[in-house]
Amino acid sequence: MYEDIRSNKIKSGVIVSIFIIVITLIIYYICMAFDLGIFSIVFALVFSIITAYASYYNSDKIILKMSHAREATHEENQKLVNILDALVVSSGLSVTPKLYVVEDAQPNAFATGRDPEHSIICVTTGLLEKLDYYELEGVIGHELAHIANYDIRLSAIVTVMVGFVVMLSDIFTRTFLYGRGRSRNNDNGNANGILMLIGLVFLILAPIFGNLMKLAISRRREFLADATSAKYTRNPDGLISALEKISSDPNELETANKATASMYISSPFREKRQKKSSIWSTHPSLEERVDALRNLK
């Protein structure tokens, strides 16, 4: 587990660095395409650093806003609060994550934040209504495992940054023809031409590679979080039953989108819940996860 925590911290730093480089090249390319002059690379670098900083420190707020989540209260969600308090003791964490609730009929949950001290567990009202005590305990244990393993930092950073690159790519493709028309009248030299070409390649490929990276990270961390939850609760059957209920639920999670889908304990999109996971899957299949949990007994 400690090796996974260390690995997640290193990956987070690497991803932030890659993000700064990719965004710098993309912004530079866009600036040169619109003939904004020699200071384009400086502007691009400053813009990418500011964006990376804002994404790192505000990723949880961004994700909660996207999910339309509200803070849970002890009066309304006493069972949930009690389960979390007990599991925090089992996990050995020194802080208790904040609890948030999303008004949605689909049973699901996710965790976010940049570290355990700034962590959040968010559940849907459907999860609270449809799961019994031990099933809910298994789900909260799973999300608490993501926090203890520092999966939340890696997941939040990748979700926000990949989403930003996709958005930037979409904006650029809508204005590409206009920028290309203006840039034809200016010879920027071989060096600028090479940087612009690299920027264009990153602009096209970054969303694809970013999503593949996010999916691969998500699939692996789900297995680890399932196993860690079983360790906290000493009851893998509770999580197995919860996963089966969640996977068979007919409702769609209305507030979910492609950027946040990989964060949930189970895919919020029913059509994405496959019997066997593939390279495009955000989560391992139910069968694979249940088999892994049963092998822990």
Side-chain angles (χ1 to χ4, degrees):
M1 182 183 297
Y2 292 109
E3 184 61 32
D4 284 295
I5 293 172
R6 179 174 176 273
S7 175
N8 278 342
K9 290 180 178 179
I10 293 172
K11 286 177 182 176
S12 297
V14 170
I15 289 171
V16 170
S17 301
I18 292 173
F19 175 82
I20 290 173
I21 294 171
V22 170
I23 294 299
T24 298
L25 289 170
I26 290 174
I27 296 297
Y28 174 78
Y29 177 75
I30 293 174
C31 289
M32 295 306 295
F34 284 92
D35 195 19
L36 298 183
I38 194 172
F39 294 105
S40 296
I41 191 67
V42 176
F43 172 79
L45 182 60
V46 171
F47 181 86
S48 64
I49 292 173
I50 292 174
T51 303
Y53 180 87
S55 298
Y56 179 81
Y57 284 101
N58 295 285
S59 57
D60 55 343
K61 298 180 183 66
I62 295 169
I63 291 167
L64 288 174
K65 186 73 172 177
M66 292 168 66
S67 303
H68 305 291
R70 59 172 173 81
E71 193 162 3
T73 64
H74 193 282
E75 293 74 21
E76 285 187 67
N77 312 107
Q78 185 174 356
K79 181 172 71 171
L80 180 64
V81 172
N82 292 341
I83 288 173
L84 177 60
D85 287 343
L87 287 173
V88 166
V89 175
S90 299
S91 69
L93 286 173
S94 58
V95 293
T96 301
K98 292 181 179 179
L99 284 169
Y100 278 76
V101 176
V102 173
E103 295 285 345
D104 199 285
Q106 186 192 89
N108 223 319
F110 67 85
T112 188
R114 64 180 184 271
D115 53 41
E117 289 72 29
H118 302 86
S119 58
I120 290 164
I121 293 177
C122 186
V123 303
T124 64
T125 51
L127 190 85
L128 298 175
E129 294 166 0
K130 297 175 182 179
L131 270 58
D132 65 27
Y133 182 93
Y134 294 107
E135 292 165 344
L136 187 58
E137 183 185 52
V139 171
I140 300 303
H142 174 99
E143 300 307 335
L144 203 60
H146 283 316
I147 293 170
N149 297 339
Y150 276 78
D151 291 332
I152 54 169
R153 174 186 292 178
L154 185 60
S155 176
I157 288 173
V158 171
T159 296
V160 173
M161 292 186 175
V162 169
F164 181 79
V165 171
V166 171
M167 179 187 71
L168 197 62
S169 176
D170 182 63
I171 291 172
F172 178 75
T173 53
R174 296 174 186 274
T175 56
F176 174 68
L177 292 176
Y178 172 72
R180 184 176 61 178
R182 289 189 62 184
S183 65
R184 282 174 180 166
N185 298 323
N186 183 42
D187 182 11
N188 297 306
N190 292 333
N192 284 343
I194 292 172
L195 279 175
M196 288 175 65
L197 179 61
I198 295 172
L200 178 59
V201 171
F202 271 108
L203 188 67
I204 296 170
L205 298 181
I208 299 172
F209 289 130
N211 277 303
L212 286 176
M213 178 176 63
K214 181 174 68 174
L215 300 179
I217 290 171
S218 176
R219 288 194 299 273
R220 185 186 182 282
R221 70 189 179 89
E222 293 305 320
F223 283 120
L224 179 60
D226 286 346
T228 307
S229 175
K231 176 184 175 183
Y232 292 162
T233 64
R234 297 179 176 84
N235 179 24
D237 288 330
L239 181 56
I240 290 173
S241 179
L243 290 172
E244 289 173 341
K245 277 189 178 180
I246 293 170
S247 295
S248 62
D249 191 86
N251 294 289
E252 291 283 347
L253 211 166
E254 296 181 3
T255 58
N257 54 55
K258 291 181 179 179
T260 60
S262 63
M263 301 182 65
Y264 287 87
I265 188 171
S266 180
S267 174
F269 307 125
R270 293 183 65 247
E271 70 275 9
K272 297 293 184 181
R273 296 173 183 172
Q274 302 170 343
K275 291 185 177 181
K276 294 293 182 181
S277 57
S278 68
I279 192 173
W280 300 107
S281 303
T282 57
H283 296 74
S285 68
L286 171 65
E287 181 181 338
E288 291 169 329
R289 294 175 74 173
V290 169
D291 286 346
L293 282 166
R294 285 179 176 153
N295 287 334
L296 295 174
K297 297 182 181 182

